[in-house]
Amino acid sequence: LASERRRQRHAGTEEEIKTLARRQMGEQGTASLSLRTIAREMGVTPPALYRYFASRDDLITALILDAYDDLADTMEATRDAAPAETDLVARLFAACMEYRAWALVHPVDYQLIFGNPIPGYSAPSEATQPAARRTLSVFVGMTAEALQRGALALPAAYEVLPGELEERLGGILAGEGYEIPAGALAYVLAVWARMQGLITLELFGHLQPILGDPDVFYRFEIASVLQRADGHPADA
Amino acid sequence: LASERRRQRHAGTEEEIKTLARRQMGEQGTASLSLRTIAREMGVTPPALYRYFASRDDLITALILDAYDDLADTMEATRDAAPAETDLVARLFAACMEYRAWALVHPVDYQLIFGNPIPGYSAPSEATQPAARRTLSVFVGMTAEALQRGALALPAAYEVLPGELEERLGGILAGEGYEIPAGALAYVLAVWARMQGLITLELFGHLQPILGDPDVFYRFEIASVLQRADGHPADA
DNA sequence: TGTACATCAGTGAACGCGCGTTCACTGATGTAC
DNA sequence: TGTACATCAGTGAACGCGCGTTCACTGATGTAC
């Protein structure tokens, strides 16, 4: 069908625009995104881009949603790639490694999600929020499974939460249909925040002057937070 | 002396420029900084600003250095404000609380230090690096003291480090003249990364959909990482 | 296979805007005697 | 206290630039019969 060819060409050009946009952001920072520059690089006049995106903001929104989706896809793939009889803690550990690896390979996407907002632009939260939950869900699910099967021991500190926190997290869990205690969710958030802190610091160059290559430290930290039920840290 | 009056007026105007710059960044993001807009707000023509800063980049550099210094000053003041017989773990806990409080009160400064770099600008690292060390030093010093006096117990996971990490951190410590084991430095970095992760996520709105007010969780997390030597968590 | 029509991709000119920075200058504020 | 001079603060005009977006348009690609 000829119209199918046309549609694919359209999608291809759309992808090309996004790729150039990402490259531009990678070189100049996420706040630097110029439609005219993209058009120039494509050998096309600026108004041509409006066939593909209604405005600069729409392009940014597309990039952000892509980033969320790509991260979630990657994490789900990592989860599903593990063979059925895998050590569940090892699988969790691998997911944490993959999380950082993704951030290092896709620094622009990572910044679009977790970095400074772009001046004059504000993301439509009704679109980004479900996309954001997907990634967190992978970690919650894997942690829940590891805890239920007894592979992972919930650290003592997370067994009893402050009442206010317990309530709040319990509400979230009920809404999402997870069958884990609130303490476990707190634990997942704690792991997530650790990864986030280390990755953000690394990405913006704050760890390198102290640590050289932050890789060893990251592995060490994740291993230490993922204690096995037998008391041994996860593989590092 | 008349020249002194003039100097003070000059310094005052300089401060006014920086204040307006920070406000502008607060409203539009750190990447949005326009000299012309500042001049407009001051009721002055744009070239007038060149009496105070040689360029836009120089203004940004000044803002960044101010941010580093203000954070370090705040942390040092928190450390020194504690009465002599204070519980050393409580003092450390208070410092961690103050770290977040500073970030929330000065989001622009926090982003200038820890957020995305500004497009087309690159900070002179020979100036920012010593300023960055000051803040970390406060935490290293307080932790060292708490460990030495036996108020704080180094978590078991930090007693033995991977060889590569041990070496690297030992080198840093020797260079700075601290008398704590490398594991303790790793522990400080771990605490720092946790704070960083939680604060960054909060500042960019990623925790609120899950936690509502992240305050309780932050206190809980810091308390759990600062275990007393007697096994009880720090005051929350 | 060929023709009439509809859709889509891209053009070229223009609008209105804001930006950092330079330059030669005026007028005010300070200093020295 | 008054005058001659130096320094500093701020002006006004201009340079050269880039930006997002609109509009009426041409030419190519597809569809229907």
Side-chain angles (χ1 to χ4, degrees):
Chain A
L1 200 48
S3 79
E4 181 57 21
R5 242 183 300 141
R6 184 186 257 177
R7 236 184 56 195
Q8 283 196 5
R9 219 178 23 221
H10 190 96
T13 308
E14 202 171 297
E15 215 38 68
E16 189 188 350
I17 294 173
K18 290 199 274 193
T19 300
L20 288 172
R22 277 185 276 258
R23 205 184 67 190
Q24 203 178 120
M25 284 179 161
E27 286 162 3
Q28 310 265 0
T30 50
S32 289
L33 176 62
S34 149
L35 296 184
R36 298 188 95 106
T37 303
I38 291 173
R40 214 174 297 131
E41 285 172 338
M42 291 177 71
V44 122
T45 60
L49 301 185
Y50 285 77
R51 288 273 160 203
Y52 303 89
F53 296 94
S55 67
R56 195 187 101 116
D57 278 13
D58 273 35
L59 172 54
I60 295 176
T61 300
L63 291 171
I64 292 178
L65 289 180
D66 275 11
Y68 273 110
D69 284 341
D70 190 52
L71 174 56
D73 289 348
T74 302
M75 295 319 299
E76 285 173 1
T78 302
R79 175 193 62 196
D80 299 339
E85 349 70 50
T86 309
D87 176 349
L88 291 175
V89 178
R91 190 178 66 164
L92 201 46
F93 183 80
C96 292
M97 291 300 118
E98 185 57 36
Y99 192 81
R100 167 169 171 267
W102 184 88
L104 296 183
V105 175
H106 305 91
V108 167
D109 301 78
Y110 186 87
Q111 288 177 52
L112 283 172
I113 299 177
F114 296 113
N116 298 8
I118 293 171
Y121 170 85
S122 88
S125 66
E126 69 280 2
T128 59
Q129 231 181 88
R133 284 272 163 108
R134 267 182 72 207
T135 294
L136 192 57
S137 274
V138 173
F139 282 101
V140 173
M142 290 177 61
T143 305
E145 203 178 340
L147 287 173
Q148 274 160 12
R149 305 255 185 108
L152 187 72
L154 190 64
Y158 295 91
E159 263 156 28
V160 182
L161 300 183
E164 196 179 336
L165 191 57
E166 170 98 34
E167 224 172 282
R168 175 82 202 176
L169 294 179
I172 293 277
L173 285 168
E176 305 269 331
Y178 285 116
E179 306 229 339
I180 53 170
L185 178 53
Y187 176 64
V188 173
L189 292 178
V191 175
W192 183 43
R194 279 207 208 193
M195 295 195 291
Q196 210 65 27
L198 288 170
I199 292 170
T200 307
L201 286 172
E202 176 175 2
L203 226 45
F204 298 141
H206 295 280
L207 287 182
Q208 288 83 342
I210 303 172
L211 285 171
D213 182 357
D215 181 71
V216 181
F217 189 62
Y218 186 83
R219 299 178 81 83
F220 171 73
E221 271 293 292
I222 299 303
S224 97
V225 74
L226 293 183
Q227 291 290 130
R228 278 226 181 75
D230 55 25
H232 289 90
D235 296 324
Chain B
L1 201 47
S3 78
E4 181 56 22
R5 241 182 303 141
R6 185 186 258 177
R7 238 183 56 195
Q8 282 196 7
R9 218 176 27 220
H10 190 96
T13 308
E14 203 173 297
E15 215 37 70
E16 190 188 350
I17 294 171
K18 290 199 275 192
T19 300
L20 288 172
R22 275 185 276 258
R23 206 184 66 192
Q24 203 178 120
M25 285 178 161
E27 287 162 3
Q28 309 266 1
T30 50
S32 288
L33 176 62
S34 148
L35 296 185
R36 297 188 96 106
T37 302
I38 292 173
R40 216 174 296 130
E41 285 172 339
M42 291 176 71
V44 122
T45 60
L49 301 185
Y50 284 77
R51 289 273 158 201
Y52 303 89
F53 296 95
S55 68
R56 194 186 102 114
D57 277 13
D58 272 35
L59 172 55
I60 295 176
T61 301
L63 291 171
I64 291 178
L65 289 179
D66 276 10
Y68 273 110
D69 284 341
D70 191 50
L71 174 56
D73 289 348
T74 302
M75 295 319 299
E76 285 174 1
T78 302
R79 175 193 62 197
D80 299 339
E85 349 69 50
T86 309
D87 176 349
L88 291 175
V89 177
R91 189 177 67 163
L92 202 46
F93 184 80
C96 292
M97 291 301 118
E98 184 57 36
Y99 192 81
R100 168 169 171 266
W102 184 87
L104 296 184
V105 175
H106 305 91
V108 168
D109 301 79
Y110 186 86
Q111 287 177 53
L112 282 172
I113 299 177
F114 296 112
N116 298 10
I118 293 173
Y121 170 85
S122 89
S125 67
E126 67 281 3
T128 58
Q129 231 182 86
R133 284 271 163 109
R134 268 182 70 207
T135 294
L136 192 57
S137 274
V138 173
F139 283 100
V140 173
M142 290 177 60
T143 305
E145 203 178 340
L147 288 173
Q148 274 160 10
R149 303 256 185 109
L152 187 70
L154 190 64
Y158 295 92
E159 262 156 29
V160 182
L161 300 183
E164 197 179 335
L165 191 57
E166 170 98 33
E167 225 172 282
R168 177 80 201 175
L169 293 179
I172 293 276
L173 285 167
E176 305 268 332
Y178 285 116
E179 305 231 338
I180 54 170
L185 178 54
Y187 176 64
V188 173
L189 292 178
V191 174
W192 183 42
R194 279 207 208 193
M195 296 195 291
Q196 210 66 26
L198 288 170
I199 293 171
T200 306
L201 287 173
E202 175 176 2
L203 225 46
F204 299 142
H206 295 279
L207 287 182
Q208 288 83 341
I210 304 171
L211 285 171
D213 182 357
D215 181 72
V216 181
F217 189 63
Y218 186 83
R219 299 178 81 82
F220 171 73
E221 269 294 292
I222 299 303
S224 98
V225 75
L226 295 183
Q227 291 290 128
R228 279 225 181 75
D230 55 24
H232 289 90
D235 296 325

